[in-house]
């Protein structure tokens, strides 16, 4: 075979290989990767070392996600996180799970940096004591929209100031048609904390309510030894759209006990909330194809 024929063949083969490599590169760029999840946890009153492990494993088992955990070993209500010291702290993540318990952290620029990322479009999932973090002023009274001490509540969508005793909570799916709740059945938790609702902000969509029997306290029993337990109800899960970009925010006040976090019913619910917040939940309550486990 003439030499020039070998050159043509070699050139053709090289072109095919090059085109194949380019196509593979483009396909790799276009193929969605894992959902990048940032889980920030720590502070007062909870076993965050165990719960972050449960959350990371539970999320990654259910969907195509990579959960990065930022865990503080500080167990006070003044716990802060170095990651929030940077203006671009949320860069590279598709969603942030707030599972911190930092009630006495009141530094305005610090809190503003956290909120700025969500106002600019980073979705949020808020669990349990996140509802009782970053509060100051007369926070036990309903805080008006736009108030200096109401910015964290506005992101969450509900203002809560405290909780009742540790006792089982009836979980009632009040909006069973939402993609997050569709197909789920009511259930009862182990001993949990029912967070109160001082204010439910406009724009908040209630998904789940909780009902708990509260035994009489010492004062009630002193006045009436035969005092009976009273039923208390509160919103325990909801969605919100925050800021000018209508950033999706999902929150649940459940999650005090390790047994609750480990419960498949809780984990399935949180994962759906996370998928909804990122726009990756179908109307049928399933993850979109990109993030469904094969």
């Amino acid at each position: 075979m003439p030499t020039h024929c070998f050159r043509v063949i070699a050139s053709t083969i090289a072109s095919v290989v090059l085109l194949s490599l380019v196509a593979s590169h483009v396909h790799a760029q276009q193929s969605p990767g894992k959902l990048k999840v940032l889980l920030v946890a720590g502070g007062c009153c909870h076993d965050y070392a165990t719960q972050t492990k449960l959350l990371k494993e539970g999320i990654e088992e259910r969907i195509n996600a990579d959960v990065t955990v930022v865990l503080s070993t500080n167990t006070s209500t003044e716990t802060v996180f170095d990651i929030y010291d940077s203006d671009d702290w949320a860069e590279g993540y598709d969603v942030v799970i707030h599972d911190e318990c930092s009630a006495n952290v009141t530094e305005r620029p610090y809190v503003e940096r956290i909120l700025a990322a969500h106002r600019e479009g980073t979705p949020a999932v808020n669990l349990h004591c996140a509802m009782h973090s970053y509060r100051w002023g007369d926070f036990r009274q309903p805080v008006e929209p736009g108030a200096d001490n109401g910015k964290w509540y506005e992101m969450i969508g509900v203002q809560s100031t405290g909780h009742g005793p540790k006792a089982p909570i009836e979980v009632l799916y009040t909006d069973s048609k939402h993609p997050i709740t569709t197909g789920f059945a009511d259930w009862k938790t182990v001993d949990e904390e029912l967070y109160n609702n001082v204010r439910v902000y406009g724009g908040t969509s209630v998904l789940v309510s909780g009902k708990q029997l509260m035994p009489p306290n010492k004062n009630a029993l002193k006045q009436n030894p035969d005092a009976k337990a009273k039923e208390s109800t509160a919103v325990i899960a909801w969605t919100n759209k925050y800021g000018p970009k209508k950033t999706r925010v999902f929150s649940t006040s459940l999650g005090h006990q390790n047994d609750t976090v480990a419960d498949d019913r809780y984990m399935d619910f949180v994962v759906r909330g996370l998928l909804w917040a990122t726009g990756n939940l179908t109307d049928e309550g399933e993850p979109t194809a990109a993030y469904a486990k094969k």
Side-chain angles (χ1 to χ4, degrees), residues 196-237:
N196 66 10
N197 309 140
V198 175
R199 178 187 286 277
V200 178
Y201 286 83
T204 295
S205 297
V206 176
L207 302 179
V208 187
S209 295
K211 190 184 297 183
Q212 184 184 61
L213 281 177
M214 300 181 64
N217 58 32
K218 292 180 180 179
N219 289 334
L221 289 171
K222 186 176 181 180
Q223 294 176 7
N224 178 12
D226 296 323
K228 305 298 183 182
K230 293 183 178 180
E231 187 176 86
S232 180
T233 60
V235 172
I236 59 174

Side-chain angles (χ1 to χ4, degrees), residues 105-106 108 111 115 131 133-155 158-161 199 201:
V105 175
T106 62
R108 310 301 198 271
V111 178
L115 292 173
M131 266 51 83
S133 294
Y134 311 125
R135 56 191 190 182
W136 56 84
D138 191 7
F139 63 84
R140 298 198 180 280
Q141 298 300 317
V143 175
E144 294 297 327
D148 174 65
N149 63 339
K151 294 181 180 180
W152 185 253
Y153 299 135
E154 288 183 43
M155 184 275 287
V158 169
Q159 179 187 353
S160 176
T161 64
R199 178 187 286 277
Y201 286 83

Side-chain angles (χ1 to χ4, degrees), residues 6-292:
F6 283 111
R7 289 175 181 168
V8 170
I9 293 172
S11 177
T12 301
I13 292 173
S15 298
V16 170
V17 171
L18 178 60
L19 288 171
S20 177
L21 289 173
V22 169
S24 297
H25 178 66
V26 170
H27 178 73
Q29 285 185 322
Q30 293 176 344
S31 297
K34 292 184 177 181
L35 198 67
K36 298 297 187 293
V37 182
L38 173 64
L39 168 57
V40 182
C44 173
C45 315
H46 305 89
D47 182 5
Y48 286 115
T50 298
Q51 291 183 12
T52 50
K53 185 173 183 291
L54 290 169
L55 286 164
K56 177 177 171 64
E57 291 178 352
I59 293 168
E60 292 179 348
E61 284 173 2
R62 285 165 172 79
I63 60 173
N64 190 19
D66 185 5
V67 180
T68 299
V69 177
V70 173
L71 173 64
S72 173
T73 57
N74 190 320
T75 58
S76 78
T77 57
E78 298 179 352
T79 299
V80 294
F81 300 85
D82 291 344
I83 191 171
Y84 293 146
D85 288 339
S86 170
D87 289 338
D88 61 355
W89 65 269
E91 187 174 339
Y93 295 103
D94 298 308
V95 60
V96 178
I97 301 176
H98 292 288
D99 197 18
E100 59 260 58
C101 197
S102 302
N104 291 330
V105 175
T106 62
E107 182 187 351
R108 310 301 198 271
Y110 176 88
V111 178
E112 176 59 27
R113 280 194 298 273
I114 304 174
L115 292 173
H118 299 306
R119 278 199 306 273
E120 290 302 311
T122 301
V125 171
N126 304 300
L127 303 180
H128 195 55
C129 200
M131 266 51 83
H132 291 172
S133 294
Y134 311 125
R135 56 191 190 182
W136 56 84
D138 191 7
F139 63 84
R140 298 198 180 280
Q141 298 300 317
V143 175
E144 294 297 327
D148 174 65
N149 63 339
K151 294 181 180 180
W152 185 253
Y153 299 135
E154 288 183 43
M155 184 275 287
I156 290 173
V158 169
Q159 179 187 353
S160 176
T161 64
H163 58 80
K166 291 179 178 61
I169 296 174
E170 291 184 54
V171 178
L172 308 171
Y173 291 100
T174 49
D175 182 356
S176 59
K177 295 182 179 180
H178 195 282
I180 295 176
T181 58
T182 184
F184 284 156
D186 298 345
W187 58 290
K188 183 178 284 189
T189 70
V190 296
D191 287 352
E192 263 290 332
E193 295 175 342
L194 183 66
Y195 278 26
N196 66 10
N197 309 140
V198 175
R199 178 187 286 277
V200 178
Y201 286 83
T204 295
S205 297
V206 176
L207 302 179
V208 187
S209 295
K211 190 184 297 183
Q212 184 184 61
L213 281 177
M214 300 181 64
N217 58 32
K218 292 180 180 179
N219 289 334
L221 289 171
K222 186 176 181 180
Q223 294 176 7
N224 178 12
D226 296 323
K228 305 298 183 182
K230 293 183 178 180
E231 187 176 86
S232 180
T233 60
V235 172
I236 59 174
W238 59 92
T239 63
N240 183 33
K241 291 186 179 179
Y242 172 65
K245 295 189 176 181
K246 303 296 182 184
T247 306
R248 289 189 174 196
V249 178
F250 166 78
S251 305
T252 178
S253 59
L254 292 178
H256 180 81
Q257 305 286 18
N258 291 352
D259 286 346
T260 300
V261 179
D263 194 304
D264 285 338
R265 293 167 293 189
Y266 178 84
M267 192 67 66
D268 289 344
F269 183 60
V270 169
V271 168
R272 280 203 192 174
L274 184 152
L275 288 169
W276 175 86
T278 59
N280 291 293
L281 186 68
T282 68
D283 291 341
E284 293 73 33
E286 298 293 333
T288 55
Y291 300 110

